Amino acid sequence: MLVRNRILSLQLASLINPSSSLLPFPKPTLSFPTRYLSHWTLRNPTHRHVSASASKTSQTRQISDAARFVRTVLFVPPGVDPDELTEDMVLPGSNIVIGPYAGESRIKEVEFVKSSGKAKECPKDHRPEFAILGRSNVGKSSLINALVRKKEVALTSKKPGKTQLINHFLVNKSWYIVDLPGYGFAKAPDAARMDWSSFTKGYFLNRDTLVAVLLLVDASVPPQKIDLDCANWLGRNNIPITLVFTKCDKMKASKGKRPDENIRDFQQVIRQNYKVHPPWIMTSSVTGLGRDDLLLHMSQLRNYWDQ
Ligand code: GDP
């Protein structure tokens, strides 16, 4: 079955229905005037090609709404022709299409390498890396533990003195998971938040080996301005992101929205700023939801980066 059939149903379809998303807070005012493209559109040639062909066909008004939807909402990786998409190429609970660059994704070994105070001190062996970022308490340590199936990794990052550092973990002797300090401590003074920004900004803006930032967003709560600001800052600076929604197992028994509703609300805002929606995936460290699929997604980004 073609993807366009699938995308007209379920949660993806709700993204195009404006009435289905009432934001729980005022729309953030953003200081940049134009919508930016997702990182893969900006950074890789295949996606530049996809964008170019999309704009050409829309000019001739031959593109259907469904096809346009595929091009703007699904994450179509390098090597995949958007016109040839099939349902089984889309990872469940995500907008991620799996293409020919996806490969071996199992984590066989992981070792802590070092903690760094600034980007300049980070490992210089040019291996690809994924940075894990998110608000304090979003489930960062739990997700890292789930990905590598070891408790020691996240514990290392939580040791006193290491929480405010860039922690590099070498996976399968070939790529890094990088644990960054959490942001948005509820009780931290503004000054502490600013410190986080300048410190972490240096890493993002200077790290050539950064394949993507996994930006963790708690799906059990409504969209938070600080997460949206973070996603928008990364987008403005052309830093690749994958939105990893955590705690998707947490179904509210009484008041409050369900995780899928919170995710939809978050994406509604994101879509106002990203011309091509970044990849996103639903996860739960409790049930293991999304873990293997996230690793598969990372493998295709990594293998393409390695080319
Ligand atoms: P960190 O501060 O971002 O490293 O967050 P932690 O990994 O320490 O998690 C914060 C709290 O959220 C802990 O009580 C975890 O047990 C809980 N938590 C983390 N991930 C999940 C999840 O996927 N589902 C549920 N229900 N709870 C989670």
Side-chain angles (χ1 to χ4, degrees), residues 135-142 158 246-247 249-250 284-286:
R135 262 182 312 122
S136 170
N137 220 36
V138 69
K140 202 151 61 82
S141 311
S142 306
K158 288 221 159 179
T246 62
K247 308 190 188 183
D249 59 287
K250 269 186 145 180
S284 163
S285 300
V286 171

Side-chain angles (χ1 to χ4, degrees), residues 191-242:
R193 292 188 183 205
M194 289 312 293
D195 278 354
W196 176 87
S197 301
S198 55
F199 160 75
T200 317
K201 274 180 190 168
Y203 167 82
F204 291 129
L205 299 176
N206 297 304
R207 194 68 179 155
D208 293 341
T209 50
L210 182 62
V211 178
V213 174
L214 305 188
L215 180 59
L216 272 53
V217 178
D218 187 342
S220 70
V221 296
Q224 307 286 303
K225 184 174 183 306
I226 196 164
D227 293 328
L228 290 163
D229 286 348
C230 186
N232 288 328
W233 184 87
L234 292 164
R236 274 204 304 283
N237 288 284
N238 300 332
I239 315 284
I241 66 170
T242 293

Side-chain angles (χ1 to χ4, degrees), residues 153-173:
V153 169
L155 279 179
T156 306
S157 304
K158 288 221 159 179
K159 276 184 195 158
K162 304 236 182 215
T163 52
Q164 292 306 311
L165 295 169
I166 303 166
N167 296 302
H168 272 78
F169 297 92
L170 182 60
V171 178
N172 296 349
K173 298 202 190 314

Side-chain angles (χ1 to χ4, degrees), residues 16-28:
I16 51 171
N17 179 1
S19 64
S20 67
S21 177
L22 294 171
L23 289 176
F25 56 86
K27 204 172 112 181

Side-chain angles (χ1 to χ4, degrees), residues 10 16 27 39 74-75 123 130 250 255:
L10 300 172
I16 51 171
K27 204 172 112 181
H39 58 281
L74 285 183
F75 171 72
F130 293 88
K250 269 186 145 180
K255 289 183 224 145

